[in-house]
Amino acid sequence: MPGVSRIGAFVHRQRDSPLEQLTGSIVALVTPMHDDGSVDYPALRRLIDWHIDEGTDCLGVVGTTGESPTVDVEEHCEIIRVSVEQAKGRVPVMAGCGANSTKEAIELAKFAKGVGADSQLQVVPYYNKPTQEGQYQHFKAIAEAVGDLPIVLYNVPGRTVADMAHDTVLRLTQVPGIIGIKEATGNIERAQWLIRDVPKNFAVYSGDDPTAVALMLCGGQGNISVTANIAPRKMHELCVAALAGDVKRAMQIQFELMPLHRNLFVEPNPIPLKWAMARLGLCGGALRLPLTELGEASCPAVEGALRATGLLKN
């Protein structure tokens, strides 16, 4: 990919200490954009400050919600750099470094490590449909190259087509540097088997807002959340309650947030989310092709969810 070779030029700063086990609400942060499609870095900085004020426990940047498929490599790197710079160590930054090229994933991870990210999110390679052995070798190679930047695996077969099998995850838990997984299938039975079988120091995070509370109550460590983009305080409180085993409080908040969990996915993420954020004045609603603005028929559902959760009052 053009520009990948430039990544190494930015790698200069060593991380000071290993990442302690992360728990709680990890926002899958949007990448704000101007109407012309360029990245709106001032808006990104404002969002980061707002999330920290609202209690978000970690910033997950340049993932699917951050439109990683359409930002170029230089932008991808700059979003990570700006996010780390703006966070100023107040909360950890989990940098999306995934690619369907192992070499590119390693180079992105080296960059993220160099600018001070606290961990890396590595998605199952998409489109080229690697076998289970191919997935294992992909993540093992990344860990061998950049395992001192802790790796969170990301399994989302609804987007990647390739699905990381339970036994493959268990093999990868034995690879130094791989510390957790974002389990985004929404299958709670599957999540329970993972939580049951992985080592105690290996974290299982939800990547599915509707079922995240259940995963945490079963022993998961947190939620990498789309909903947290517009309801960060509530998502933080939900995670606190669920992780403490306070079922009553966790479900009270879950019931409040359910309209968002459902209607932020009436069209592919982050289309409804960007519309909602623009409606709330958090950032512009611009997206990059092939994503297009929210369809007129879908707007009432998203607006209704914002009103049902009290985010819009007028």
Side-chain angles (χ1 to χ4, degrees):
M1 179 177 291
V4 173
S5 61
R6 296 181 54 190
I7 295 176
F10 294 95
V11 177
H12 59 87
R13 189 167 79 82
Q14 298 298 314
R15 297 175 66 254
D16 297 323
S17 60
L19 180 73
E20 295 180 359
Q21 189 178 69
L22 174 67
T23 61
S25 176
I26 305 164
V27 63
L29 193 65
V30 300
T31 298
M33 295 177 181
H34 297 289
D35 289 343
D36 65 0
S38 60
V39 177
D40 187 347
Y41 292 104
L44 176 62
R45 291 180 183 275
R46 290 193 298 272
L47 282 177
I48 288 169
D49 286 342
W50 178 65
H51 273 282
I52 293 170
D53 289 344
E54 289 292 303
T56 293
D57 298 293
C58 176
L59 304 168
V61 300
V62 215
T64 307
T65 306
E67 294 178 76
S68 58
T70 59
V71 297
D72 64 35
V73 173
E74 285 80 6
E75 290 169 324
H76 194 132
C77 292
E78 183 65 1
I79 293 164
I80 295 171
R81 188 197 68 78
V82 167
S83 298
V84 172
E85 180 181 82
Q86 191 66 25
K88 299 183 178 72
R90 293 174 289 172
V91 296
V93 173
M94 181 183 292
C97 298
N100 59 355
S101 159
T102 306
K103 179 181 178 182
E104 182 181 336
I106 289 170
E107 290 179 338
L108 287 169
K110 286 181 176 178
F111 174 86
K113 172 189 169 185
V115 297
D118 298 280
S119 62
Q120 56 177 303
L121 185 67
Q122 287 287 353
V123 70
V124 170
Y126 41 86
Y127 188 76
N128 44 15
K129 298 175 66 174
T131 63
Q132 294 303 307
E133 183 62 25
Q135 291 179 44
Y136 174 78
Q137 294 295 339
H138 170 80
F139 292 118
K140 181 173 178 284
I142 296 168
E144 288 173 346
V146 211
D148 51 351
L149 181 65
I151 297 167
V152 176
L153 308 171
Y154 178 16
N155 190 36
V156 57
R159 284 184 178 268
T160 65
V161 181
D163 188 358
M164 185 160 34
H166 183 84
D167 288 348
T168 303
V169 178
L170 295 187
R171 286 182 73 193
L172 288 166
T173 66
Q174 303 305 308
V175 177
I178 299 178
I179 65 162
I181 184 169
K182 176 182 178 182
E183 164 55 38
T185 65
N187 184 325
I188 292 301
E189 181 186 5
R190 179 172 178 159
Q192 289 178 68
W193 279 106
L194 273 179
I195 293 165
R196 173 186 181 270
D197 291 347
V198 297
K200 289 183 179 179
N201 62 348
F202 187 87
V204 178
Y205 303 103
S206 175
D208 178 68
D209 279 311
T211 59
V213 65
L215 183 144
M216 286 184 282
L217 289 169
C218 289
Q221 280 75 27
N223 182 26
I224 302 177
S225 171
V226 173
T227 298
N229 277 278
I230 55 176
R233 175 65 61 181
K234 285 292 185 184
M235 183 53 67
H236 168 75
E237 292 173 353
L238 185 152
C239 290
V240 168
L243 293 170
D246 186 346
V247 178
K248 182 177 180 180
R249 176 61 178 155
M251 290 309 303
Q252 178 186 29
I253 301 170
Q254 170 73 351
F255 291 145
E256 292 176 15
L257 293 178
M258 281 174 64
L260 294 178
H261 296 339
R262 169 180 288 178
N263 291 300
L264 289 179
F265 290 89
V266 291
E267 292 185 18
N269 179 47
I271 293 172
L273 176 60
K274 279 274 187 94
W275 186 91
M277 293 184 76
R279 186 73 177 84
L280 295 172
L282 293 170
C283 68
L287 302 127
R288 286 188 179 175
L289 288 171
L291 299 183
T292 53
E293 67 181 25
L294 188 67
E296 186 175 345
S298 299
C299 294
V302 182
E303 173 124 358
L306 296 177
R307 294 189 183 281
T309 51
L311 296 175
L312 271 180
K313 299 184 184 298
N314 296 322

